[in-house]
Amino acid sequence: MLARVRAVGLRFLLVNRIPLSAFDVALRLASAALLSPAGRHRFLLAGIHPRTLKATLRRIRRLQDWPRAWVRAAHSYLLAAHERAAAGELRAAAELQRVAALCYHFGHVMVLDDLARRRALYTAAARLFRAAAPHLDPAIRPIEVPWRGLALPGYLCVPGDRPSPLVVFLNGASTAKEEMVTWVTPFLRRGLAVLALDTPGSGEVADLIPAAPGQEDVGWAIIETARHLPEVDPKRIALLGISLRGAYAVQLAHAVPEIAAVVSVTAPYDPRPYLDLLGEFVRRDVAFATGVTPGDLTRLAPALALDGIAPHLQTPLLVVGAGNDLVVPPQESIRLYRAAGGPKHLAFYERANHVAFTHLEQWTALAATWLAATLM
């Protein structure tokens, strides 16, 4: 056990040992208003108004209240969107509908024991976002990446009319393309197009095919699709993956030499030593993405490990790590950086949480600058 404590850190170990029942008790005593400023940052970045967030969190006094409170928040935004649309303010209405969609998205991530309800909430989020996308600023265009007879849905944003380098955003286990595509501004400012993409096990294709070993040909599908996009330069494609898909991005870059750069954000490097230490919520979330039961995750751990890949990776790599990560041990980012064989850079934020949501403005600006220098 001492070796495990050294590997993951005592705080990581203690927090992941807290059962869901204890969280439920805490909610009954104080509601979700006890959520720390760091925990709230993700919602604020998505455009949730501070007053709306405060009211929503106060309504959550049990884990079961989480989706209901977020649906109520979504309805308030939809009502406001309807009023703006009636007044002819279509762009403002679309922005409010975008936020409503993300409320449904945030509501679905904490539904742990009702898969049908979880999918219904996300389906509502995807439908609302798709309707709003063309009217947003910047405009967001739905596209599809054909792969193994399926269509992987995504959203494309471009900085102009000329062919631009492309950065492909890959979802984490609890994020979605609808959330990640709102991070595009620093990339567009530096002349980079962005494609936020659902890959196997995520978003709208999660019910169709889970994430599994041997899906590296998604990288070839991305390149082939880019060849048919006149706004994109198919010879300058980078991947940006967060959390679980941060490791997947490295695997794709290793398998597809045409990928020009990769950004890996708070990704697992080798989860075999600590996968069974993860808390119940994280285990269920990863299980949803991989299409297995939480008890079967240990069997998949070797396929998630990067120790056999990273030393052979020659693609330029930016690793983003977080010192307060309680989902992936902070040391994992350092291990990936040290093991990588090609050009590499490490950005480690000591006080950041998982995905470095608390520092998202900083690391996305850094990633955009690094990618522009690497791809231009």
Side-chain angles (χ1 to χ4, degrees):
M1 180 55 73
L2 185 58
R4 285 187 155 192
V5 171
R6 290 197 187 103
V8 302
L10 182 60
R11 184 164 178 256
F12 179 94
L13 185 63
L14 292 177
V15 169
N16 277 278
R17 291 300 89 198
I18 299 175
L20 288 179
S21 57
F23 285 112
D24 217 35
V25 170
L27 291 175
R28 291 178 190 230
L29 293 174
S31 83
L34 57 77
L35 192 65
S36 69
R40 297 177 185 219
H41 203 67
R42 175 182 181 182
F43 308 119
L44 297 172
L45 287 170
I48 309 298
H49 193 279
R51 285 197 304 270
T52 302
L53 179 58
K54 184 177 181 180
T56 300
L57 295 177
R58 282 182 171 176
R59 294 187 185 106
I60 301 171
R61 304 200 71 91
R62 300 175 303 164
L63 287 173
Q64 293 178 349
D65 294 337
W66 182 276
R68 188 180 304 112
W70 280 106
V71 169
R72 180 170 174 175
H75 288 172
S76 71
Y77 278 108
L78 289 174
L79 178 60
H82 179 76
E83 293 171 350
R84 291 295 184 92
E89 302 174 28
L90 298 184
R91 181 157 289 175
E95 173 61 19
L96 289 164
Q97 184 167 316
R98 178 194 71 81
V99 180
L102 291 182
C103 287
Y104 274 107
H105 160 61
F106 291 138
H108 102 282
V109 298
M110 286 292 286
V111 179
L112 304 176
D113 54 2
D114 187 341
L115 186 57
R117 188 182 186 196
R118 181 182 173 99
R119 296 308 304 166
L121 289 169
Y122 175 70
T123 298
R127 175 179 54 80
L128 286 170
F129 195 98
R130 189 171 296 270
H135 308 290
L136 296 171
D137 183 20
I140 299 173
R141 190 172 108 214
I143 72 162
E144 294 179 340
V145 173
W147 175 76
R148 297 189 186 180
L150 296 175
L152 304 179
Y155 286 115
L156 178 69
C157 293
V158 297
D161 298 330
R162 293 188 299 175
S164 304
L166 177 66
V167 184
V168 182
F169 288 1
L170 305 178
N171 307 325
S174 67
T175 51
K177 65 184 183 300
E178 290 80 7
E179 182 180 3
M180 289 189 71
V181 79
T182 63
W183 306 351
V184 300
T185 299
F187 299 89
L188 297 180
R189 286 175 178 168
R190 290 161 179 81
L192 304 170
V194 172
L195 169 61
L197 184 67
D198 285 341
T199 53
S202 73
E204 295 180 84
V205 296
D207 284 347
L208 302 177
I209 184 166
Q215 294 175 338
E216 292 82 2
D217 54 329
V218 167
W220 296 109
I222 290 169
I223 291 173
E224 182 60 29
T225 299
R227 292 192 177 111
H228 299 282
L229 297 173
E231 312 95 327
V232 167
D233 183 350
K235 295 182 180 179
R236 293 184 292 171
I237 296 178
L239 305 177
L240 186 156
I242 64 172
S243 191
L244 187 65
R245 290 336 185 288
Y248 185 46
V250 172
Q251 292 172 333
L252 291 184
H254 176 255
V256 181
E258 280 77 359
I259 291 172
V262 59
V263 179
S264 180
V265 182
T266 61
Y269 173 72
D270 183 0
R272 285 172 289 192
Y274 62 85
L275 193 60
D276 61 334
L277 299 177
L278 293 175
E280 184 179 357
F281 172 74
V282 176
R283 289 176 62 82
R284 289 193 187 191
D285 213 28
V286 176
F288 278 130
T290 54
V292 301
T293 65
D296 287 335
L297 283 176
T298 305
R299 178 175 52 84
L300 288 179
L304 300 175
L306 298 176
D307 58 329
I309 291 176
H312 306 289
L313 181 71
Q314 295 303 310
T315 307
L317 170 68
L318 169 62
V319 178
V320 177
N324 281 334
D325 196 337
L326 298 176
V327 177
V328 173
Q331 297 90 331
E332 290 286 83
S333 296
I334 297 172
R335 295 177 70 195
L336 172 58
Y337 168 74
R338 289 175 175 169
K344 55 190 176 180
H345 182 77
L346 173 66
F348 194 86
Y349 299 91
E350 289 286 352
R351 298 188 177 183
N353 58 0
H354 187 55
V355 189
F357 280 114
T358 51
H359 294 66
L360 190 135
E361 298 99 325
Q362 292 97 313
W363 75 254
T364 52
L366 173 73
T369 300
W370 180 83
L371 284 169
T374 303
L375 298 176
M376 295 298 189

